[in-house]
Amino acid sequence: GAGGNTFKCGAKETANGTLPTCKPKKCEVQSAPDVNATACGRAEYGSKCFFACAEGYAGTAQTRTCSVNSSGTMSLVGPPIDCEAQECIYNMPAGAQFDSNFKCSGVSVGESCEVRCAPGYAGTPATLTCGASLRL
């Protein structure tokens, strides 16, 4: 064949020749800050990858299979992975010394808020960022 191996049938109805070495292709495992890909192993054709939301995010874990997609390229096929950033609940600024116009409630993982001192208090404003541990 064109670029392949040729086999000839021998006297005892056995094929003579060398079979090609076929190895499974690999899927690229995309990384995202809100998703952890685990149990992917080599992420090769036919294998499954388990995706779960990263720390600080919530959603349903999904399994995807490494397959050949309709365009002929390798991809992980399965349901969408939808992870939602959780709100910070720890280390929230509280007390009369903080300006109530600068609240950090409702700030989610990856977002920031500014904290200023209330009138009558001195201090430099600070920008706090919500981390994966749900702590500002």
Side-chain angles (χ1 to χ4, degrees):
N5 291 317
T6 303
F7 295 92
K8 294 184 178 182
C9 193
K12 297 185 179 181
E13 298 182 4
T14 58
N16 297 321
T18 304
L19 290 172
T21 302
C22 300
K23 296 180 182 175
K25 290 184 177 181
K26 296 184 184 240
C27 283
E28 184 179 338
V29 180
Q30 302 274 338
S31 62
D34 59 337
V35 178
N36 285 333
T38 59
C40 275
R42 292 183 290 267
E44 57 191 27
Y45 180 74
S47 68
K48 295 185 181 309
C49 282
F50 181 74
F51 291 88
C53 294
E55 182 183 9
Y57 295 83
T60 304
Q62 302 290 353
T63 300
R64 290 186 168 181
T65 304
C66 181
S67 304
V68 180
N69 65 23
S70 59
S71 64
T73 58
M74 302 303 295
S75 66
L76 289 165
V77 178
I81 302 156
D82 187 23
C83 298
E84 186 176 315
Q86 299 298 288
E87 287 187 16
C88 269
I89 54 175
Y90 303 110
N91 200 33
M92 300 297 283
Q97 70 272 28
F98 300 114
D99 189 333
S100 61
N101 292 320
F102 294 89
K103 292 192 183 278
C104 289
S105 60
V107 173
S108 296
V109 172
E111 297 177 340
S112 299
C113 64
E114 185 178 59
V115 180
R116 292 177 179 251
C117 293
Y121 293 87
T124 304
T127 300
L128 304 179
T129 301
C130 181
S133 63
L134 306 183
R135 180 179 303 279
L136 281 173

